[in-house]
mmCIF file with all atom_site columns, all heavy atoms in Angstrom:
data_model
loop_
_atom_site.group_PDB
_atom_site.id
_atom_site.type_symbol
_atom_site.label_atom_id
_atom_site.label_alt_id
_atom_site.label_comp_id
_atom_site.label_asym_id
_atom_site.label_entity_id
_atom_site.label_seq_id
_atom_site.pdbx_PDB_ins_code
_atom_site.Cartn_x
_atom_site.Cartn_y
_atom_site.Cartn_z
_atom_site.occupancy
_atom_site.B_iso_or_equiv
_atom_site.pdbx_formal_charge
_atom_site.auth_seq_id
_atom_site.auth_comp_id
_atom_site.auth_asym_id
_atom_site.auth_atom_id
_atom_site.pdbx_PDB_model_num
ATOM 1  N N   . PRO A 1 25 ? 16.592 19.995 15.217 1.00 96.00 ? 25 PRO A N   1
ATOM 2  C CA  . PRO A 1 25 ? 17.035 20.840 14.104 1.00 96.00 ? 25 PRO A CA  1
ATOM 3  C C   . PRO A 1 25 ? 18.526 20.617 13.844 1.00 96.00 ? 25 PRO A C   1
ATOM 4  O O   . PRO A 1 25 ? 19.275 20.267 14.762 1.00 96.00 ? 25 PRO A O   1
ATOM 5  C CB  . PRO A 1 25 ? 16.773 22.260 14.598 1.00 96.00 ? 25 PRO A CB  1
ATOM 6  C CG  . PRO A 1 25 ? 15.729 22.121 15.656 1.00 96.00 ? 25 PRO A CG  1
ATOM 7  C CD  . PRO A 1 25 ? 16.000 20.782 16.298 1.00 96.00 ? 25 PRO A CD  1
ATOM 8  N N   . LEU A 1 26 ? 18.948 20.811 12.598 1.00 95.00 ? 26 LEU A N   1
ATOM 9  C CA  . LEU A 1 26 ? 20.331 20.545 12.211 1.00 95.00 ? 26 LEU A CA  1
ATOM 10 C C   . LEU A 1 26 ? 20.977 21.811 11.659 1.00 95.00 ? 26 LEU A C   1
ATOM 11 O O   . LEU A 1 26 ? 20.406 22.477 10.806 1.00 95.00 ? 26 LEU A O   1
ATOM 12 C CB  . LEU A 1 26 ? 20.368 19.442 11.149 1.00 95.00 ? 26 LEU A CB  1
ATOM 13 C CG  . LEU A 1 26 ? 21.735 19.000 10.641 1.00 95.00 ? 26 LEU A CG  1
ATOM 14 C CD1 . LEU A 1 26 ? 22.570 18.398 11.768 1.00 95.00 ? 26 LEU A CD1 1
ATOM 15 C CD2 . LEU A 1 26 ? 21.578 17.997 9.507  1.00 95.00 ? 26 LEU A CD2 1
ATOM 16 N N   . SER A 1 27 ? 22.173 22.115 12.153 1.00 95.00 ? 27 SER A N   1
ATOM 17 C CA  . SER A 1 27 ? 22.988 23.200 11.603 1.00 95.00 ? 27 SER A CA  1
ATOM 18 C C   . SER A 1 27 ? 24.022 22.568 10.678 1.00 95.00 ? 27 SER A C   1
ATOM 19 O O   . SER A 1 27 ? 24.777 21.690 11.087 1.00 95.00 ? 27 SER A O   1
ATOM 20 C CB  . SER A 1 27 ? 23.697 23.964 12.718 1.00 95.00 ? 27 SER A CB  1
ATOM 21 O OG  . SER A 1 27 ? 24.608 24.889 12.156 1.00 95.00 ? 27 SER A OG  1
ATOM 22 N N   . PHE A 1 28 ? 24.039 23.013 9.433  1.00 96.00 ? 28 PHE A N   1
ATOM 23 C CA  . PHE A 1 28 ? 25.030 22.475 8.501  1.00 96.00 ? 28 PHE A CA  1
ATOM 24 C C   . PHE A 1 28 ? 26.400 23.084 8.750  1.00 96.00 ? 28 PHE A C   1
ATOM 25 O O   . PHE A 1 28 ? 27.410 22.406 8.604  1.00 96.00 ? 28 PHE A O   1
ATOM 26 C CB  . PHE A 1 28 ? 24.564 22.678 7.052  1.00 96.00 ? 28 PHE A CB  1
ATOM 27 C CG  . PHE A 1 28 ? 23.582 21.632 6.626  1.00 96.00 ? 28 PHE A CG  1
ATOM 28 C CD1 . PHE A 1 28 ? 22.237 21.737 6.974  1.00 96.00 ? 28 PHE A CD1 1
ATOM 29 C CD2 . PHE A 1 28 ? 23.990 20.524 5.913  1.00 96.00 ? 28 PHE A CD2 1
ATOM 30 C CE1 . PHE A 1 28 ? 21.333 20.763 6.600  1.00 96.00 ? 28 PHE A CE1 1
ATOM 31 C CE2 . PHE A 1 28 ? 23.093 19.537 5.539  1.00 96.00 ? 28 PHE A CE2 1
ATOM 32 C CZ  . PHE A 1 28 ? 21.761 19.660 5.882  1.00 96.00 ? 28 PHE A CZ  1
ATOM 33 N N   . LEU A 1 29 ? 26.451 24.362 9.149  1.00 95.00 ? 29 LEU A N   1
ATOM 34 C CA  . LEU A 1 29 ? 27.738 24.989 9.458  1.00 95.00 ? 29 LEU A CA  1
ATOM 35 C C   . LEU A 1 29 ? 28.202 24.506 10.824 1.00 95.00 ? 29 LEU A C   1
ATOM 36 O O   . LEU A 1 29 ? 27.576 24.781 11.840 1.00 95.00 ? 29 LEU A O   1
ATOM 37 C CB  . LEU A 1 29 ? 27.639 26.508 9.447  1.00 95.00 ? 29 LEU A CB  1
ATOM 38 C CG  . LEU A 1 29 ? 28.946 27.226 9.799  1.00 95.00 ? 29 LEU A CG  1
ATOM 39 C CD1 . LEU A 1 29 ? 30.021 26.934 8.753  1.00 95.00 ? 29 LEU A CD1 1
ATOM 40 C CD2 . LEU A 1 29 ? 28.735 28.716 9.932  1.00 95.00 ? 29 LEU A CD2 1
ATOM 41 N N   . GLY A 1 30 ? 29.264 23.725 10.843 1.00 94.00 ? 30 GLY A N   1
ATOM 42 C CA  . GLY A 1 30 ? 29.792 23.189 12.095 1.00 94.00 ? 30 GLY A CA  1
ATOM 43 C C   . GLY A 1 30 ? 29.090 21.937 12.570 1.00 94.00 ? 30 GLY A C   1
ATOM 44 O O   . GLY A 1 30 ? 29.534 21.306 13.521 1.00 94.00 ? 30 GLY A O   1
ATOM 45 N N   . GLY A 1 31 ? 27.993 21.579 11.911 1.00 95.00 ? 31 GLY A N   1
ATOM 46 C CA  . GLY A 1 31 ? 27.250 20.390 12.312 1.00 95.00 ? 31 GLY A CA  1
ATOM 47 C C   . GLY A 1 31 ? 27.428 19.217 11.382 1.00 95.00 ? 31 GLY A C   1
ATOM 48 O O   . GLY A 1 31 ? 27.215 18.079 11.765 1.00 95.00 ? 31 GLY A O   1
ATOM 49 N N   . VAL A 1 32 ? 27.825 19.513 10.125 1.00 97.00 ? 32 VAL A N   1
ATOM 50 C CA  . VAL A 1 32 ? 27.985 18.476 9.116  1.00 97.00 ? 32 VAL A CA  1
ATOM 51 C C   . VAL A 1 32 ? 29.302 18.714 8.388  1.00 97.00 ? 32 VAL A C   1
ATOM 52 O O   . VAL A 1 32 ? 29.625 19.839 8.024  1.00 97.00 ? 32 VAL A O   1
ATOM 53 C CB  . VAL A 1 32 ? 26.813 18.488 8.105  1.00 97.00 ? 32 VAL A CB  1
ATOM 54 C CG1 . VAL A 1 32 ? 26.985 17.406 7.054  1.00 97.00 ? 32 VAL A CG1 1
ATOM 55 C CG2 . VAL A 1 32 ? 25.475 18.323 8.811  1.00 97.00 ? 32 VAL A CG2 1
ATOM 56 N N   . ASP A 1 33 ? 30.064 17.649 8.178  1.00 98.00 ? 33 ASP A N   1
ATOM 57 C CA  . ASP A 1 33 ? 31.310 17.740 7.422  1.00 98.00 ? 33 ASP A CA  1
ATOM 58 C C   . ASP A 1 33 ? 30.975 17.642 5.930  1.00 98.00 ? 33 ASP A C   1
ATOM 59 O O   . ASP A 1 33 ? 30.538 16.587 5.470  1.00 98.00 ? 33 ASP A O   1
ATOM 60 C CB  . ASP A 1 33 ? 32.252 16.608 7.820  1.00 98.00 ? 33 ASP A CB  1
ATOM 61 C CG  . ASP A 1 33 ? 33.587 16.644 7.097  1.00 98.00 ? 33 ASP A CG  1
ATOM 62 O OD1 . ASP A 1 33 ? 33.726 17.393 6.106  1.00 98.00 ? 33 ASP A OD1 1
ATOM 63 O OD2 . ASP A 1 33 ? 34.504 15.910 7.518  1.00 98.00 ? 33 ASP A OD2 1
ATOM 64 N N   . PRO A 1 34 ? 31.176 18.750 5.165  1.00 97.00 ? 34 PRO A N   1
ATOM 65 C CA  . PRO A 1 34 ? 30.806 18.722 3.752  1.00 97.00 ? 34 PRO A CA  1
ATOM 66 C C   . PRO A 1 34 ? 31.666 17.782 2.907  1.00 97.00 ? 34 PRO A C   1
ATOM 67 O O   . PRO A 1 34 ? 31.269 17.397 1.817  1.00 97.00 ? 34 PRO A O   1
ATOM 68 C CB  . PRO A 1 34 ? 30.977 20.175 3.307  1.00 97.00 ? 34 PRO A CB  1
ATOM 69 C CG  . PRO A 1 34 ? 31.915 20.781 4.280  1.00 97.00 ? 34 PRO A CG  1
ATOM 70 C CD  . PRO A 1 34 ? 31.710 20.043 5.579  1.00 97.00 ? 34 PRO A CD  1
ATOM 71 N N   . LYS A 1 35 ? 32.806 17.379 3.414  1.00 98.00 ? 35 LYS A N   1
ATOM 72 C CA  . LYS A 1 35 ? 33.675 16.463 2.661  1.00 98.00 ? 35 LYS A CA  1
ATOM 73 C C   . LYS A 1 35 ? 33.179 15.032 2.736  1.00 98.00 ? 35 LYS A C   1
ATOM 74 O O   . LYS A 1 35 ? 33.386 14.245 1.818  1.00 98.00 ? 35 LYS A O   1
ATOM 75 C CB  . LYS A 1 35 ? 35.110 16.533 3.179  1.00 98.00 ? 35 LYS A CB  1
ATOM 76 C CG  . LYS A 1 35 ? 35.788 17.849 2.890  1.00 98.00 ? 35 LYS A CG  1
ATOM 77 C CD  . LYS A 1 35 ? 37.182 17.873 3.445  1.00 98.00 ? 35 LYS A CD  1
ATOM 78 C CE  . LYS A 1 35 ? 37.788 19.256 3.208  1.00 98.00 ? 35 LYS A CE  1
ATOM 79 N NZ  . LYS A 1 35 ? 38.911 19.510 4.100  1.00 98.00 ? 35 LYS A NZ  1
ATOM 80 N N   . THR A 1 36 ? 32.533 14.672 3.855  1.00 98.00 ? 36 THR A N   1
ATOM 81 C CA  . THR A 1 36 ? 32.117 13.278 4.073  1.00 98.00 ? 36 THR A CA  1
ATOM 82 C C   . THR A 1 36 ? 30.601 13.087 4.166  1.00 98.00 ? 36 THR A C   1
ATOM 83 O O   . THR A 1 36 ? 30.108 11.984 3.953  1.00 98.00 ? 36 THR A O   1
ATOM 84 C CB  . THR A 1 36 ? 32.726 12.735 5.376  1.00 98.00 ? 36 THR A CB  1
ATOM 85 O OG1 . THR A 1 36 ? 32.200 13.481 6.484  1.00 98.00 ? 36 THR A OG1 1
ATOM 86 C CG2 . THR A 1 36 ? 34.242 12.809 5.349  1.00 98.00 ? 36 THR A CG2 1
ATOM 87 N N   . GLY A 1 37 ? 29.867 14.133 4.563  1.00 98.00 ? 37 GLY A N   1
ATOM 88 C CA  . GLY A 1 37 ? 28.437 14.000 4.814  1.00 98.00 ? 37 GLY A CA  1
ATOM 89 C C   . GLY A 1 37 ? 28.125 13.500 6.211  1.00 98.00 ? 37 GLY A C   1
ATOM 90 O O   . GLY A 1 37 ? 26.975 13.244 6.554  1.00 98.00 ? 37 GLY A O   1
#
Side-chain angles (χ1 to χ4, degrees):
L26 181 63
S27 172
F28 279 81
L29 178 64
V32 180
D33 181 347
K35 292 179 184 160
T36 64

